[in-house]
Amino acid sequence: MTLIAEQAAQNGVSTAAADASKERLRLWLKLLKATRLVEADLRERMRSQFITTLPRFDVMAALRRAPEGLRMSELSSALKVSNGNVTGIVDRLVSEELIVRTPVHNDRRAMIVRLTAKGCEEFDALAAAHESWVDGLFGGVGRDEARELGRALDRIAAEAAAHMEATREGRVNQDD
Amino acid sequence: MTLIAEQAAQNGVSTAAADASKERLRLWLKLLKATRLVEADLRERMRSQFITTLPRFDVMAALRRAPEGLRMSELSSALKVSNGNVTGIVDRLVSEELIVRTPVHNDRRAMIVRLTAKGCEEFDALAAAHESWVDGLFGGVGRDEARELGRALDRIAAEAAAHMEATREGRVNQDD
DNA sequence: CCGAGATATTTCAAGCTTAAAATTTTTACG
DNA sequence: CGTAAAAATTTTAAGCTTGAAATATCTCGG
């Protein structure tokens, strides 16, 4: 916000820039609210109907698409979560025999993680239920509307990813 | 998914219903991805520039709008998080003298939580930065587009809230 | 007044999440 | 070959989150 706009806002006078900024803030709050509500609903259904959690589901979904398995580092970058996080979730899934860790031949540092037959079965049941839950929750969104929404979300995601990338690479910016 | 649609899907034959379902699932994944990226970016900026976190910001924002303060239960229902969660966050904010807990006269069970002067100051600086960060991230979304996006998000949020409410009240449904 | 049930909050156990430090192994250069 | 830097993973400390159990207090009918 510019100095002039800020002073205007402090005086209760609105400017086009300040209005647009408030509107974007409201949009972000709506986005956050909708996402949290959907997540809470899905979490509750996973918990009560399948005795599992969304993070476990995410890990299993990534592995389902990789029949040969994934390295721990591939898994954490696919899910965009920290390495240590994946370690914990994988530990628990291994202890329930839903996935297996196998060492990599050429590289004794690395581990490959793969779904077991039991893990595949459980995931497929979970995934079918999950799709139907989402279908119900998003039923009120029309096809054209969904496409437009998707494009806007892609732009927002790209902007956030670009900013984080730039920050991580040490770029310095006056308003960071 | 109906039995026929499921068989069709298993045969690799697509149906209108199955297509729509997959499209809604993709929309949900995009929504989740965009929200998580924005949250990660905001979290990182809060952490590195203000040494604080989003949950703390949320608590302070709720209190900023309530000069008389809020009860712990009002706070947790405003933020839609569990009671125990708020207890922990408030404990930490109190230890930094950003908020204060005061007993309620008529009711020795209850506590009122309020921002201190220091808390107000810190929040206002934080909130200004937060608004400008969001403004930057959402700059690519046009005004009309934002309005339409907002309406769709409201519908999705309402659907999720309604389902959770119905579940909590013990309604039984075949596909829950 | 008293006790049962309701209400407000905290505590607890378990799991998720991150950033940073530690560990182990590999790679590549001198 | 030897070793320093890089890479893969795990560990750790701190905080967030939930649901459920525990505490403390209040309300209200008898």
Side-chain angles (χ1 to χ4, degrees):
Chain A
M1 211 192 283
T2 65
L3 185 57
I4 288 176
E6 200 158 344
Q7 288 174 342
Q10 281 172 8
N11 291 332
V13 179
S14 57
T15 67
D19 279 0
S21 176
K22 295 287 180 210
E23 198 158 310
R24 289 187 187 122
L25 189 54
R26 269 196 297 278
L27 178 58
W28 163 236
L29 295 176
K30 277 187 185 185
L31 184 58
L32 190 56
K33 181 181 175 188
T35 303
R36 285 184 176 170
L37 280 169
V38 171
E39 270 193 291
D41 187 43
L42 296 177
R43 182 187 333 116
E44 170 57 19
R45 300 206 227 200
M46 290 237 168
R47 185 185 74 86
S48 62
Q49 293 173 48
F50 290 93
I51 319 190
T52 190
T53 66
L54 283 169
R56 290 162 58 114
F57 181 69
D58 290 343
V59 166
M60 293 177 81
L63 295 177
R64 189 68 173 93
R65 278 177 239 115
E68 308 302 304
L70 293 174
R71 288 178 175 219
M72 293 299 285
S73 52
E74 291 174 322
L75 200 44
S76 66
S77 71
L79 299 176
K80 302 220 181 71
V81 298
S82 64
N83 288 338
N85 188 357
V86 173
T87 297
I89 298 169
V90 164
D91 282 349
R92 285 179 280 274
L93 290 172
V94 166
S95 78
E96 293 177 34
E97 300 178 344
L98 297 171
I99 67 181
V100 283
R101 262 197 190 100
T102 36
V104 174
H105 318 301
N106 323 350
D107 190 342
R108 279 185 296 178
R109 295 169 301 181
M111 297 296 263
I112 290 267
V113 179
R114 216 163 353 86
L115 280 182
T116 61
K118 180 182 172 194
C120 275
E121 259 182 61
E122 292 209 8
F123 174 76
D124 289 345
L126 213 53
H130 177 259
E131 184 175 326
S132 79
W133 297 335
V134 171
D135 197 40
L137 293 171
F138 285 70
V141 182
R143 206 136 181 172
D144 292 347
E145 198 173 21
R147 233 186 318 274
E148 194 179 351
L149 190 43
R151 276 196 300 270
L153 291 170
D154 284 343
R155 277 203 301 283
I156 294 165
E159 186 62 43
H163 182 268
M164 280 198 296
E165 183 62 25
T167 300
R168 198 147 34 70
E169 296 197 348
R171 191 204 56 176
V172 178
N173 190 311
Q174 65 285 356
D175 56 54
D176 269 6
Chain B
M1 210 191 283
T2 65
L3 185 57
I4 287 174
E6 200 157 346
Q7 287 173 342
Q10 281 171 9
N11 293 332
V13 179
S14 58
T15 66
D19 279 359
S21 175
K22 294 287 179 211
E23 198 158 311
R24 289 188 186 121
L25 188 54
R26 271 195 297 277
L27 178 59
W28 164 235
L29 295 177
K30 277 188 186 186
L31 184 58
L32 191 56
K33 181 182 174 189
T35 302
R36 283 184 177 170
L37 280 169
V38 171
E39 269 193 292
D41 187 45
L42 296 177
R43 184 190 328 117
E44 170 57 18
R45 300 206 227 200
M46 290 238 168
R47 185 184 74 86
S48 61
Q49 293 173 47
F50 291 92
I51 320 189
T52 190
T53 66
L54 284 168
R56 290 162 58 113
F57 180 70
D58 289 344
V59 166
M60 293 177 81
L63 294 177
R64 188 70 174 93
R65 277 177 239 115
E68 306 304 304
L70 293 174
R71 290 178 174 219
M72 293 298 287
S73 50
E74 291 174 321
L75 200 43
S76 66
S77 71
L79 300 175
K80 303 220 181 71
V81 298
S82 64
N83 288 339
N85 187 356
V86 173
T87 297
I89 297 169
V90 164
D91 282 349
R92 285 179 280 274
L93 291 172
V94 165
S95 77
E96 295 177 34
E97 300 178 345
L98 297 170
I99 67 180
V100 283
R101 263 198 190 99
T102 34
V104 174
H105 319 300
N106 323 351
D107 189 343
R108 282 184 296 178
R109 295 169 301 181
M111 296 296 262
I112 291 266
V113 179
R114 217 163 353 87
L115 280 182
T116 61
K118 180 182 172 194
C120 275
E121 261 181 59
E122 292 209 8
F123 174 76
D124 289 345
L126 213 54
H130 177 260
E131 185 175 325
S132 78
W133 298 336
V134 171
D135 197 39
L137 293 172
F138 285 70
V141 182
R143 206 135 180 173
D144 292 348
E145 198 175 20
R147 233 187 317 275
E148 194 178 351
L149 190 43
R151 275 196 300 271
L153 292 171
D154 284 344
R155 277 203 301 285
I156 294 165
E159 186 62 43
H163 182 267
M164 281 198 297
E165 184 62 24
T167 301
R168 198 147 35 71
E169 296 197 349
R171 191 204 57 177
V172 179
N173 190 312
Q174 66 284 357
D175 57 53
D176 269 6

